[in-house]
Amino acid sequence: MSDTRNLRAGVIGVGWAGEQHLIGYAAAGNVDIVALAGMEADRLELLGNAYGADLRYADWEQVLDEADLDVVSICTPTALHAPMAIAALNAGIHVLSEKPMAENAVTAQKMVDAAIANDKVLDVLFNHRRGGQVKALKKIVDSGLLGRIYYAKAGWLRRSGIPGLGSWFTKMKTAGGGPMMDIGVHMLDMAMHLLDEPSVSTVSATTYAEFGPRGIGGATGLGSQKSGVGDSVEFEVEDLSTAFMRLDSGGTLLLESSWASWIPHDLIYINLYGSDGGATLELGGSPATYTKLDVWTEVSGFPAEIQPDIPPSGGHSEAVLDFLAKVRSDNHDAHRGHEGLARSLVVDACYASAAKQREVTL
Ligand SMILES: NC(=O)c1ccc[n+]([C@@H]2O[C@H](COP(=O)([O-])OP(=O)(O)OC[C@H]3O[C@@H](n4cnc5c(N)ncnc54)[C@H](O)[C@@H]3O)[C@@H](O)[C@H]2O)c1
């Protein structure tokens, strides 16, 4: 798109994620937020007024038909990403989808196909790779300081953080999976990004559901307390997953994620083991704002520990800006959602391995 007129933007889904996209569009230049869709009338009014979106719909299909959008963000329950994205792409609208791309890779592939068929941008938003610590670590990895990275461990473990216990998040049909699908995918994305996008050759994974089926481990209470939802809560996904992955680079990635587990506090971490150095990145924990990025190597024969300067975090707003730049670029072919699809293929392989109780080959 070579013209520089303001792009007309819409957001479907007005929960936490939808609001982050609105903040991003509001901060970007040359964009008019014109339309919102969602099922909560109060949120439509609140966010519509706050961000100047005059067109507000309960029916998402009406947004695509009537709002004359150039770009749309899809911030709805995961299994709705594909039908909404495909309809938008078929209507000639560029799409920014929340992570995970879809409830499985077969559906994600259909989104990619629709982007290609309509020559439109399809982008999947992974905000956590845009954190300041991750950016600093990426710079260090790319500088070659750590040498060849042959082993990586990544995890997002919550003590008591099942989102919406009993809601769409915990049902297979709407979410497609539990923490592996929801937060493990962020760590998979960060690890792949840091390791320069190796392919995963094999996966051996396990999943467990020890908290959710008992109605405990919800985001509103301590792990030891009832969430208030009750014992009969519908919980069809896992609440902890582990995965051992062989990479085509010869390396190994160990990935774990949990929504609830008996641990002292939440932790998001990545450990990299390289031939010439190593790094530990920790986010969250106790206190919640705790962060750490340590790098170890050797300088002139002396052991050296480096604590790099941390650039500002970009989050959703940076991802929205990148998406808009892709839309305005002349190279739409490079932006058809393939990275999101690659993540979905690995997540699917993890669930397949856990179900079959053996290693699977991608
Ligand atoms: N990147 C992140 O850090 C991050 C964080 C949270 C959620 N997410 C992702 O964002 C997506 C939404 O999550 P959330 O926490 O905002 O969920 P949410 O339940 O808070 O909001 C979902 C929104 O979708 C709307 N919706 C549902 N069905 C609809 C329909 N048929 N038509 C129109 N609107 C409909 C609801 O009305 C609601 O506004 C999920 O895919 C989730 O994985 C990403």
Side-chain angles (χ1 to χ4, degrees):
M1 188 177 287
S2 51
D3 66 273
T4 52
R5 73 190 166 85
N6 281 13
L7 295 172
R8 290 172 64 82
V11 173
I12 306 180
V14 288
W16 184 86
E19 188 166 2
Q20 307 315 303
H21 287 241
L22 285 168
I23 294 168
Y25 287 119
N30 291 359
V31 176
D32 297 324
I33 301 171
V34 294
L36 296 181
M39 289 158 67
E40 302 81 7
D42 56 337
R43 293 281 295 171
L44 280 181
E45 188 180 343
L46 182 81
L47 297 179
N49 291 345
Y51 294 97
D54 292 333
L55 304 173
R56 301 159 195 180
Y57 302 92
D59 174 358
W60 63 272
E61 281 167 298
Q62 239 179 314
V63 189
L64 304 182
D65 288 345
E66 296 177 12
D68 191 22
L69 299 180
D70 298 300
V71 298
V72 68
S73 280
I74 302 203
C75 309
T76 49
T78 300
L80 288 172
H81 293 181
M84 291 176 171
I86 292 167
L89 292 162
N90 287 342
I93 303 166
H94 302 282
V95 170
L96 177 58
S97 169
E98 259 300 337
K99 54 51 64 178
M101 185 167 180
E103 70 279 22
N104 60 51
V106 173
T107 314
Q109 178 69 59
K110 290 180 183 160
M111 294 165 74
V112 170
D113 293 344
I116 295 168
N118 293 290
D119 189 20
K120 289 288 165 287
V121 170
L122 169 62
D123 207 1
V124 181
L125 191 144
F126 287 104
N127 47 314
H128 286 275
R129 66 153 75 175
R130 297 168 185 279
Q133 282 82 5
V134 185
K135 285 184 188 177
L137 182 52
K138 175 72 176 153
K139 211 166 157 185
I140 286 165
V141 169
D142 288 351
S143 77
L145 187 73
L146 307 184
R148 187 180 69 84
I149 298 168
Y150 52 91
Y151 181 35
K153 288 201 283 193
W156 185 331
L157 300 173
R158 288 185 185 154
R159 176 182 163 91
S160 186
I162 301 176
L165 191 48
S167 77
W168 70 264
F169 271 105
T170 62
K171 297 193 181 87
M172 263 322 273
K173 197 170 169 221
T174 41
M180 176 71 216
M181 180 71 78
D182 179 39
I183 51 180
V185 75
H186 276 302
M187 304 314 297
L188 175 65
D189 179 69
M190 262 192 237
M192 290 300 163
H193 174 61
L194 288 168
L195 298 178
D196 208 14
E197 297 294 335
S199 294
V200 175
S201 327
T202 65
V203 170
S204 190
T206 51
T207 57
Y208 302 90
E210 297 290 340
F211 287 71
R214 292 188 281 157
I216 60 174
T220 50
L222 290 175
S224 57
Q225 294 175 335
K226 290 282 179 188
S227 67
V229 175
D231 288 343
S232 62
V233 62
E234 281 184 70
F235 193 88
E236 302 168 352
V237 296
E238 87 281 8
D239 51 35
L240 183 143
S241 79
T242 67
F244 175 94
M245 303 181 196
R246 291 177 202 279
L247 309 176
D248 68 348
S249 58
T252 300
L253 170 62
L254 215 54
L255 182 68
E256 56 179 358
S257 53
S258 79
W259 276 341
S261 45
W262 290 115
I263 52 173
H265 50 70
D266 293 6
L267 185 62
I268 302 175
Y269 72 90
I270 291 199
N271 298 337
L272 300 181
Y273 300 75
S275 53
D276 300 328
T280 294
L281 183 156
E282 291 180 5
L283 304 170
S286 183
T289 50
Y290 162 85
T291 62
K292 178 168 105 164
L293 174 57
D294 291 336
V295 178
W296 298 276
T297 184
E298 204 175 72
V299 177
S300 305
F302 296 100
E305 186 174 334
I306 298 165
Q307 286 176 325
D309 288 344
I310 306 298
S313 289
H316 273 79
S317 293
E318 188 181 284
V320 168
L321 267 185
D322 271 5
F323 165 63
L324 294 169
K326 289 170 188 172
V327 167
R328 289 193 186 278
S329 81
D330 294 326
N331 189 12
H332 291 172
D333 273 341
H335 311 297
R336 307 291 196 200
H338 284 103
E339 237 172 52
L341 173 61
R343 307 294 180 253
S344 288
L345 285 164
V346 175
V347 170
D348 275 14
C350 288
Y351 286 128
S353 165
K356 292 174 182 165
Q357 298 187 28
R358 62 170 171 76
E359 185 171 81
V360 299
T361 301
L362 277 94

